[in-house]
Amino acid sequence: MRIADAAKHGFDPARLAAIDALLDERYVASGKLPNAQLLIARDGEIVHFTSLGAAREGGKAIDESSLFRIASMTKPITSIAFMMLVEQGLVAVDTPVHHVLPEFKGIGVYEAGGGDAPFTTKPTTEPMRMVDLLRHTSGLTYGFQNRSNIDAAYRSSKMENWHGNLDLDGFVAALGKLPLEFSPGTAWNYSVSTDVLGAVVERVSGMKLPEFFATRIFQPLKMDDTFFAVPEGKIDRLTDCYTFVPGKGRVMYDRGAESAWSRMPKLVSGGGGLVSTALDYDRFCRMCLNGGELDGARVVGRKTLDLMTQNHLPGKSDLAAMSKSLFSEAANAGTGFGLGFAVNVDVARSMIPGSVGEYYWGGMFSTAFFIDPVERLHMVFMTQMSPSNVYPIRRELKTMIYSALT
């Protein structure tokens, strides 16, 4: 790995070093996070790369080969996969979802019921379209939100269990039997929408999602360390993963040596299933910043990425106005949503330094990335601790990275 001269790329090296000090003192040395890895790049060159903490309990330090569960940072990759099929003329952004997934035909909106009573529904005002899956305006939800009768139904059915009884087709069939929380396009709710989009990719392409990702995205981009299941020969590189328990701090969630991510899940999650490295995700970010191409391999067209990274919320709204979600990987104020990415639409309202048009997302284990086309800048941050909203580390990193620009 080559590290370019940060000063020549418009960064103050002393201010970049201050980021490492904060990560070490506030998070890793204090035990709040097990580890932290930060990659900052500008103009397609890595200008800063730091690794702090152990890969496993009592083990060696993390390094550039360390594997991390990237959770919802899978979502932009699934969204790119879908847009590749749009470019082939096989599906469109405004295609009704039930045209590809007939299990969703006639799906209604929750109106009453609960407990032992059956759900009653009313018709949707508009059909759910692919754009609703891409921007989370589908009316679907996540079981972990603990907010409504619908997410309670998700939990009781255990249909989001990757190693349970359902495969992706079975998951879609189960969802099609439950009502939506709202009529598609009328609100925003963080949800299993991108998992459903993964099923769309499978049906339209005729390929299983892991095969599509491997042959159409990862191999061309040389993302050799990104997969749904860690190969046996690489499992020694998979980091331990933790969760935060109030009153106890971080506790072990998934040991790298005996990880659930070491075997292929029955339910392949386009919304959160991938494992990757900072260097692999750097290549994905560079492809996006380059307008869909990297090192001679074109994944999508430049204008397709332009379309994906505009705000697609109805009326050019933002999440502060449209979100019904109790949890998101984004701040709400000043944040729009594109086709697979959150998009900065109002820097002042976000109250964090940035650029209009910058796009980003994160994962439940506190991983994060952002891409800024204005400053030709991107960041990848890796660690392994859920949930991602325990500490304000993403805000702190973003503020300090922008403050280091000269």
Side-chain angles (χ1 to χ4, degrees):
M1 174 180 54
R2 178 181 173 273
I3 307 294
D5 187 319
K8 289 182 179 177
H9 284 271
F11 281 100
D12 181 330
R15 290 194 165 212
L16 291 179
I19 303 174
D20 294 351
L22 176 129
L23 285 173
D24 191 13
E25 294 164 16
R26 185 171 296 175
Y27 290 106
V28 179
S30 69
K32 289 178 179 175
L33 295 179
N35 46 51
Q37 191 168 79
L38 177 64
L39 182 154
I40 303 169
R42 200 172 194 198
D43 294 317
E45 293 196 76
I46 299 170
V47 298
H48 188 80
F49 188 89
T50 189
S51 298
L52 300 163
R56 293 184 179 175
E57 212 168 52
K60 66 178 184 179
I62 59 168
D63 59 27
E64 63 188 65
S65 72
S66 295
L67 292 164
F68 299 87
R69 302 153 194 80
I70 63 170
S72 287
M73 281 167 58
T74 306
K75 287 179 169 71
I77 295 173
T78 304
S79 302
I80 288 283
F82 173 80
M83 295 305 292
M84 293 167 74
L85 300 173
V86 171
E87 289 188 332
Q88 290 179 249
L90 299 175
V91 67
V93 173
D94 65 349
T95 298
V97 174
H98 71 267
H99 286 192
V100 176
L101 304 178
E103 297 93 332
F104 276 43
K105 187 173 179 61
I107 196 168
V109 179
Y110 175 79
E111 194 166 35
D116 295 328
F119 292 118
T120 61
T121 64
K122 59 186 177 182
T124 61
T125 54
E126 293 286 338
M128 185 194 302
R129 302 181 189 277
M130 299 300 173
V131 65
D132 294 308
L133 298 177
L134 287 154
R135 69 187 180 186
H136 293 282
T137 56
S138 63
L140 298 167
T141 188
Y142 266 127
F144 64 71
Q145 291 223 38
N146 292 305
R147 186 179 54 84
S148 71
N149 287 332
I150 306 304
D151 59 51
Y154 283 31
R155 290 193 301 279
S156 65
S157 69
K158 299 181 179 178
M159 61 184 178
E160 294 173 78
N161 184 343
W162 295 350
H163 294 282
N165 298 319
L166 299 178
D167 60 10
L168 193 49
D169 287 335
F171 176 71
V172 168
L175 279 175
K177 293 172 182 161
L178 293 173
L180 302 174
E181 290 207 337
F182 51 83
S183 197
T186 61
W188 188 93
N189 187 43
Y190 197 35
S191 73
V192 298
S193 289
T194 318
D195 292 283
V196 175
L197 195 69
V200 171
V201 171
E202 287 200 348
R203 301 271 181 101
V204 173
S205 70
M207 299 169 68
K208 292 298 183 183
L209 201 61
E211 179 190 4
F212 189 99
F213 280 6
T215 59
R216 300 285 302 275
I217 299 175
F218 300 153
Q219 289 173 16
L221 293 180
K222 297 182 173 60
M223 293 172 64
D224 301 327
D225 286 323
T226 306
F227 16 67
F228 286 103
V230 181
E232 188 177 346
K234 296 185 177 182
I235 197 67
D236 62 316
R237 293 162 49 193
L238 181 62
T239 51
D240 286 342
C241 190
Y242 299 81
T243 191
F244 180 84
V245 177
K248 293 183 179 179
R250 62 178 173 92
V251 299
M252 186 67 70
Y253 172 76
D254 183 72
R255 290 189 184 278
E258 51 208 43
S259 174
W261 278 261
S262 66
R263 58 191 192 274
M264 184 60 73
K266 186 168 186 179
L267 175 58
V268 175
S269 173
L274 289 174
V275 170
S276 190
T277 64
L279 292 181
D280 264 21
Y281 215 86
D282 164 67
R283 293 189 66 79
F284 178 76
C285 293
R286 284 168 58 196
M287 176 275 294
C288 291
L289 203 52
N290 284 351
E293 178 271 339
L294 182 64
D295 296 339
R298 178 159 295 282
V299 175
V300 290
R302 175 174 61 86
K303 297 301 287 185
T304 297
L305 265 170
D306 284 350
L307 177 67
M308 294 181 74
T309 55
Q310 295 180 46
N311 181 20
H312 285 260
L313 294 180
K316 298 300 180 187
S317 186
D318 70 357
L319 298 189
M322 288 200 68
S323 178
K324 291 181 178 290
S325 188
L326 282 185
F327 183 85
S328 169
E329 300 294 347
N332 283 354
T335 302
F337 214 89
L339 305 181
F341 306 89
V343 181
N344 192 333
V345 295
D346 190 328
V347 177
R349 291 197 67 208
S350 77
M351 294 187 283
I352 308 172
S355 300
V356 171
E358 154 214 337
Y359 52 101
Y360 64 96
W361 204 238
M364 70 177 290
F365 300 118
S366 302
T367 61
F369 79 97
F370 73 79
I371 299 170
D372 184 339
V374 176
E375 296 289 346
R376 308 171 314 284
L377 163 70
H378 69 268
M379 175 210 82
V380 179
F381 176 72
M382 297 293 198
T383 188
Q384 296 284 257
M385 221 275 289
S386 71
S388 60
N389 58 357
V390 176
Y391 305 116
I393 189 166
R394 294 172 178 171
R395 183 187 70 204
E396 292 163 350
L397 286 173
K398 193 162 176 279
T399 299
M400 295 184 79
I401 289 168
Y402 277 103
S403 76
L405 288 171
T406 57

